[in-house]
Amino acid sequence: MEQIGQFPPAQHVLAHVSDPQLGAEGTVYGGVRADDHLSSVMEQVVSHHPEAIVLTGDIADTADVTAYERAARIVGEAAATIDAQVVWVMGNHDSRVPFARTLWGVDVDPEAPLDHVLMLGGLRMIVLDSTVPGYHDGRLEPAQLEWLADQLAEPAPEGTIIAMHHPPTPTHLPLAALIELADQHLLADVMRATDVRAILAGHYHYPSHTTLANIPVSVAASTCYGMDTGFDPRGLKGVDGLRGYDLVHVHPDQIVHSSVSLLRPEDTTLASTSYPVEALDVVLGVPAAERRDLFAKTGGIADLPGDEVAALLLDAEHGPRPV
């Protein structure tokens, strides 16, 4: 895509999806349509043409094989339409044997963490399995940290992104801290002064952002259900809503994490602040030197209601009009 603002298009675009928690049937938790919500996310993800779709754990709610099969189909079909790589990460609701057998087509040792490395061009992604069989909290064993240190000893051409389930971050919900990642300082020690540029995680069912060893940590919302972060912190309140995912845009010197919320039926589109998808074609049809005065000048097109702009710039039969 042609550059419009100060920055050229990202070198890499990733879709960061977490905690779909598909069940043995199409619904979980008394009626949450987990399959449908994951499908809705994939429909949106396709329009952004990510290079990879990274799913940071809890693929299946009870490690049911049919749930993994449906997740593989829903995500795989979307990825195939845009030739995107799919990155599967273990979560505490997952089980290593059915996870690996169904999603990767291999048999694994249930006691061995499913850590691995893959390359997206010059960008390295290291997947860490932070799960502890039989528990919902997380841990990275000493051998995993040693393995990670060995991987990071040699920098990748475009740096490294870590993908894991349990986020190395505090949570403002005390009860959620009962299932946090243990010994986060040990992970910080390994990553300090390396080429790690970002950490992608899930687990908490709400988006949050912080740093560990000065490395950005981005936690994506769940596609299954959300956690009401405004609820009294003495308790926890999960809701059939507050779903979302993240888009990750990797630039040479920056990584931008954009949280995307899934719309609900009652979320009304505001015509006065919305623009049709053809609007970008109109902008690209104007010489770059003229765009600021035409689209950003006070009192001009920028201050017209979106529906009026659409009528002004678009022709019902012929699409975008020249400005």
Side-chain angles (χ1 to χ4, degrees):
M1 182 185 297
E2 179 185 335
Q3 180 175 334
I4 294 181
Q6 299 176 55
F7 302 98
Q11 294 173 305
H12 303 276
V13 179
L14 314 177
H16 175 197
V17 179
S18 202
D19 298 82
Q21 293 191 213
L22 303 193
E25 304 296 334
T27 62
V28 292
Y29 301 108
V32 176
R33 303 189 314 277
D35 287 49
D36 291 345
H37 299 318
L38 181 60
S39 295
S40 295
V41 166
M42 288 302 110
E43 289 175 6
Q44 290 190 25
V45 161
V46 165
S47 67
H48 294 278
H49 290 84
E51 182 177 348
I53 303 172
V54 184
L55 294 100
T56 50
D58 282 1
I59 311 304
D61 187 54
T62 58
D64 183 82
V65 170
T66 63
Y68 288 127
E69 291 172 344
R70 298 198 314 277
R73 175 182 56 78
I74 293 169
V75 177
E77 289 178 354
T81 64
I82 53 176
D83 195 26
Q85 188 163 348
V86 180
V87 181
W88 302 102
V89 182
M90 273 282 298
N92 54 283
H93 281 263
D94 296 310
S95 181
R96 288 169 181 158
V97 171
F99 174 100
R101 184 175 294 159
T102 310
L103 300 178
W104 294 346
V106 299
D107 288 319
V108 298
D109 178 354
E111 300 301 318
L114 303 182
D115 303 330
H116 61 283
V117 180
L118 58 107
M119 298 297 296
L120 300 172
L123 181 67
R124 176 170 58 189
M125 177 162 289
I126 297 180
V127 174
L128 295 177
D129 179 354
S130 58
T131 64
V132 180
Y135 289 85
H136 287 301
D137 58 349
R139 180 180 300 276
L140 295 172
E141 298 296 338
Q144 291 180 271
L145 294 172
E146 291 176 11
W147 175 85
L148 177 60
D150 288 342
Q151 301 301 317
L152 296 177
E154 182 176 348
E158 296 177 15
T160 297
I161 291 179
I162 302 286
M164 58 193 301
H165 182 64
H166 296 84
T169 172
T171 173
H172 75 287
L173 300 174
L175 292 176
L178 295 170
I179 56 171
E180 67 185 359
L181 179 72
D183 298 326
Q184 297 178 21
H185 64 286
L186 298 179
L187 176 60
D189 290 343
V190 171
M191 295 191 306
R192 194 171 280 114
T194 67
D195 74 339
V196 177
R197 302 178 61 189
I199 302 169
L200 309 182
H203 189 48
Y204 284 145
H205 288 244
Y206 67 88
S208 65
H209 308 277
T210 185
T211 60
L212 180 75
N214 293 321
I215 297 167
V217 180
S218 181
V219 182
S222 165
T223 68
C224 180
Y225 72 89
M227 194 61 64
D228 181 358
T229 54
F231 186 66
D232 189 322
R234 293 173 296 179
L236 290 173
K237 182 181 178 182
V239 298
D240 188 1
L242 301 176
R243 286 174 278 267
Y245 63 99
D246 279 8
L247 292 171
V248 182
H249 289 80
V250 181
H251 295 267
D253 299 318
Q254 294 174 293
I255 297 182
V256 182
H257 304 266
S258 303
S259 295
V260 182
S261 298
L262 289 189
L263 294 179
R264 303 164 299 171
E266 61 268 31
D267 292 332
T268 303
T269 299
L270 302 177
S272 61
T273 61
S274 303
Y275 296 84
V277 295
E278 295 87 354
L280 182 58
D281 292 333
V282 173
V283 172
L284 293 175
V286 174
E290 301 175 17
R291 289 175 189 160
R292 182 167 180 260
D293 277 346
L294 189 59
F295 296 107
K297 190 173 183 178
T298 303
I301 289 179
D303 291 328
L304 290 176
D307 48 357
E308 292 186 22
V309 173
L312 178 67
L313 300 184
L314 301 178
D315 183 294
E317 292 186 9
H318 304 101
R321 297 178 181 176
V323 179

